[in-house]
Amino acid sequence: MPIATPAKVREQIESGKPDPIYLLVGEDEVEKSALAAEFSALVDEGLHAFNVERIHAGEMTTGDRLADGVAGIVAAARTLPMMSPHRVVVVSQADALLVPKRESEGAARALGELEALLNRPEPLTVLVLVAGALDRRSRVFKLLVKQATVVECGVIADQADAERWVKNRAAAGGSQIDPAAARLIAQRAGLDVQRLRGDVDRLLLYALGQKSITVEDVRELVGPATLQDDWALTNAVEAGQGGEALRQLALLVDAGAVPEKILGQLGWLVRSKFPTIAPARLETAIEAVFRTDNDLKRSAAEPRVLLERLVVELSERKRALG
């Protein structure tokens, strides 16, 4: 079976001519989840309850659980569709059953049943296995390469694929994004998934609470990719310009600035400027800086995420006071 891009799989879904088995792998969890959900389009919406089955394999760890889980997957895949040309079975966290953590008689029996299904798939069922990192040396993975269409999620094929990726990422974050806004982000970032993810995540943080994200939001946050000066970030925070502050932070981080140095600048701003521009919020601003410092030291999250949260808090406090 071939290795396909998400865009190619979507073409197969739209044509109504899917392959019998798909393996969705890669680090992009949002893309995998969105693509897995799109297979339901092979079934009329009114018949989803009969012909679309979703199975969570994350708890299939022990031999007995694995055996029961695989038996359920096989039964679901062998069930004929009802008044539909296709039946869709989506198995999430499939790496738990594809590469069992413990060897046992039950696990060996379960893998044998799974391999039998992969070698002789049900022609009217589309089996979608969604997995994380897999041991590509394992026997079951080598079998999947032969029998399934392997889809690497996290690879952007073209501009249209990038725009679709942006829309899916925004939807996963609880926001709708205007098509023109998605197009602008895709044009700026190109086919670089890491850059796309960073731009969309900052945008979601900036537009928190909004029902939709507009082109104006994107222009305010993204802007031209030029770094003005070392203090552009603190100047934006002091002015209460949250979007500009996030953009300047992104430019600093992308340029290799040390997170502790950025935090030092923001701490200086709070100590030196907030007594004048926001005296009522000085105490909470200092607490936010100390919290971020502690979180950075204990690696509570990605440094960029911690600094973005702090920038938003400080900018909002200034803006709330006019």
Side-chain angles (χ1 to χ4, degrees):
M1 286 290 181
I3 295 177
T5 63
K8 179 63 177 179
V9 173
R10 288 186 174 98
E11 290 179 5
Q12 294 175 340
I13 295 173
E14 291 173 3
S15 70
K17 298 178 180 179
D19 293 327
I21 306 172
Y22 290 88
L23 173 63
L24 311 187
V25 295
E27 297 181 358
D28 196 328
E29 298 298 330
V30 172
E31 177 71 13
K32 286 190 291 187
S33 178
L35 186 59
E38 291 181 40
F39 278 95
S40 62
L42 292 166
V43 178
D44 289 341
E45 188 172 352
L47 298 173
H48 280 189
F50 305 102
N51 296 311
V52 178
E53 189 160 350
R54 295 176 176 84
I55 299 172
H56 181 73
E59 299 300 322
M60 299 178 189
T61 53
T62 64
D64 291 339
R65 286 186 178 182
L66 188 61
D68 292 342
V70 170
I73 292 171
V74 172
R78 297 297 188 199
T79 301
L80 295 176
M82 179 181 293
M83 297 182 292
S84 173
H86 298 288
R87 177 173 172 77
V88 177
V89 178
V90 179
V91 183
S92 61
Q93 293 193 342
D95 32 322
L97 61 92
L98 295 175
V99 186
K101 294 182 179 179
R102 300 170 186 162
E103 295 184 3
S104 66
E105 183 179 342
R109 185 171 64 253
L111 282 178
E113 293 180 7
L114 181 62
E115 290 175 2
L117 174 63
L118 297 178
N119 280 315
R120 190 172 61 85
E122 190 63 42
L124 300 181
T125 295
V126 179
L127 176 62
V128 183
L129 303 172
V130 186
L134 294 176
D135 184 354
R136 297 177 182 249
R137 300 167 299 177
S138 65
R139 187 175 70 179
V140 70
F141 182 83
K142 292 177 181 178
L143 178 59
L144 280 165
V145 170
K146 293 180 181 180
Q147 300 297 106
T149 298
V150 180
V151 188
E152 286 283 354
C153 294
V155 178
I156 306 297
D158 51 32
Q159 176 72 20
D161 203 25
E163 292 179 29
R164 188 182 297 108
W165 190 98
V166 171
K167 293 175 183 176
N168 289 337
R169 189 82 180 183
S175 295
Q176 296 295 319
I177 185 168
D178 294 346
R183 187 175 308 113
L184 181 58
I185 292 179
Q187 289 171 346
R188 178 187 184 275
L191 307 184
D192 187 331
V193 175
Q194 185 174 0
R195 192 172 179 184
L196 278 171
R197 183 183 293 110
D199 283 349
V200 175
D201 287 350
R202 286 193 298 277
L203 190 60
L204 288 171
L205 181 63
Y206 172 68
L208 189 65
Q210 295 181 199
K211 291 183 178 179
S212 63
I213 298 172
T214 66
V215 172
E216 288 70 26
D217 293 326
V218 176
R219 286 174 178 161
E220 182 174 352
L221 181 62
V222 175
T226 56
L227 187 60
Q228 296 177 6
D229 60 69
D230 289 342
W231 293 96
L233 168 61
T234 55
N235 291 338
V237 172
E238 183 179 357
Q241 299 171 347
E244 176 64 13
L246 283 171
R247 184 171 73 85
Q248 291 297 335
L249 174 62
L251 292 172
L252 283 169
V253 173
D254 290 344
V258 178
E260 288 75 13
K261 178 182 177 181
I262 298 174
L263 179 62
Q265 290 179 334
L266 293 172
W268 171 87
L269 173 69
V270 169
R271 293 190 304 272
S272 302
K273 301 290 187 178
F274 269 55
T276 301
I277 65 176
R281 299 298 186 93
L282 177 60
E283 183 177 349
T284 53
I286 291 174
E287 290 176 354
V289 171
F290 274 116
R291 183 201 66 221
T292 304
D293 183 44
N294 289 330
D295 287 345
L296 282 172
K297 289 177 179 176
R298 63 188 181 89
S299 301
E302 286 293 325
R304 185 173 195 151
V305 174
L306 296 173
L307 291 170
E308 285 175 345
R309 183 179 65 181
L310 177 62
V311 163
V312 169
E313 290 180 14
L314 297 180
S315 300
E316 287 297 320
R317 288 188 179 110
K318 174 62 177 64
R319 185 161 59 184
L321 294 171

